[in-house]
Amino acid sequence: MAEVYHNYIGGKWVPSQNGDTFESCNPACTSEVIGVFQRSNKQDVISAIDAAHAALPGWMSTPAPIRASYVRRVGQLLERDKEALAQLETREMGKVVEEGRGDVQEGIDMADYISGEGRRMFGETVPSELRDKFAMMVRQPLGVVGLITPWNFPVAIPTWKIFPALVTGNTIVFKPAEDTPAAATALVKLFEEAGLPAGVLNLVTGYGPEAGAPIVEDARIRMISFTGSSAVGREIAAKAGRDLKKTMLELGGKNPMIVMPDADLDLALEGALWGAFGTTGQRCTATSRIIVHRDIADEFTTRLIQQAKSLKVGYGLEPGVQVGPLINAQQLQTVDEYVQIGKQEGASLLLGGKRLTGGSYDNGYFYAPTIFGDVNYRMRIAQEEIFGPVVAVMPVSSYDEAIQVANSTEYGLSSSIYTRDVNLAFRAMRDMEAGISYVNAPTIGAEIQLPFGGVKATGNGHREAGTSAIKEFTEPKAIYVDYSGRLQRAQIDVEHHAS
Ligand code: UN1
């Protein structure tokens, strides 16, 4: 029998109020149940918000360096448990274990970076126009925040949200994706071990409509930070907008890699393989379009097919495996539907395009690395996020056309150019409509000390990580201290200006 896990509310592990549960299974071997989790609904969410609300005054008034020390401690515990967590990630969501280690490392990096903010959290001091008056801005917590996270980075993305939210003095209701509740639970357990006060971080597991929506709808939640699809992001923004609730949304991507004729082709090919098929293409930063100059398109494409053919697909705990399964049956179907759409649209299927079957492939959701050639920018496979191991090769005749194609989707998360021409590189850095741009590297692999997020339908103008994190999880408060002992009216009682 698989172990049963509970919600974490007010410092206690509790079952859902209606007793419903769901299973988390291994996508490489679907008969393996990772655990049984609480299928929470509105009642559970309300309890979690009650607990977070009750814990807020105590946590807000805890000095920021002390708040940050819990995050630092969890960073150390992540380091201790890195291997076990990486393996759990592979079992629960399929990414190969080396990438699981990277995912946990990203959480460690975030702890390392953001716990120092406990001693910074910079405000501003500025001069006043009046004598004997002090003007400053300090950062205050938002209150209770709702954090809704995806399955593709089951440790890293929760840490991008939880760590800065805690350092800045917010209390939390955390709803992880239903596909990765075990990783989320393991992370929350580390906070319990670190002695985080009860109610500061609350975990409710379950499905979006049942356990996510009530978080968005509760008036006591001051901010929603969500990473997931643009469709769900739009719904969240609409609902939250009615309550004037802040939303930080990290949504889809259709990330282009431009390869110019002067590029180092070996390097570009290596980058393309990693960007397109790493994490089985299940990253919002995945390289899903390769925009390649016609002068080198044939050579590039032939070599890409050759190299992609030799990628080893399988269970990510087995040595040598480079590409794991898709997350679930639904995603397998979606990817396959897009492949059919691509064929109907007239793109040439150059590699893959099918579910992998036979032997241990039959136990999981495995899909062959897939390459489409002759893809036109108007095709759906060039416009819509597939979130699988499918890449579109799109030949172009010039840099200008490359940029036009690169910018032709509704998304704008990550982007990349391979060239040895420094002038072109700088033009691309300026011209690509994206929150993240790479030169001579693929579209994946952002580091946490810079802001993460995108433009257009990828988000709503916010950024995670880096210096943005503190800004996003706080409200600025402007404070004026008049120590003149008399009424001084701003804009009126000012001394004469120079004439
Ligand atoms: C995501 O796919 O949602 O930049 C996040 C990257 C990783 C994070 C991806 N550091 O590819």
Side-chain angles (χ1 to χ4, degrees), residues 106 152-153 157 160 227 282-285 438 443-446 452:
E106 202 160 337
N152 67 334
F153 278 79
I157 293 181
W160 296 0
T227 302
Q282 300 175 113
R283 293 198 193 206
C284 46
T285 52
Y438 290 88
T443 57
I444 67 175
F452 183 93

Side-chain angles (χ1 to χ4, degrees), residues 66 126-127 131 195 224 235 262 265 289 319 370 372 392 452 462:
I66 308 303
V126 293
R131 290 180 191 252
I224 297 286
E235 269 179 50
D262 69 316
L265 270 203
R289 296 180 294 150
T370 298
F372 275 107
F452 183 93
H462 298 273

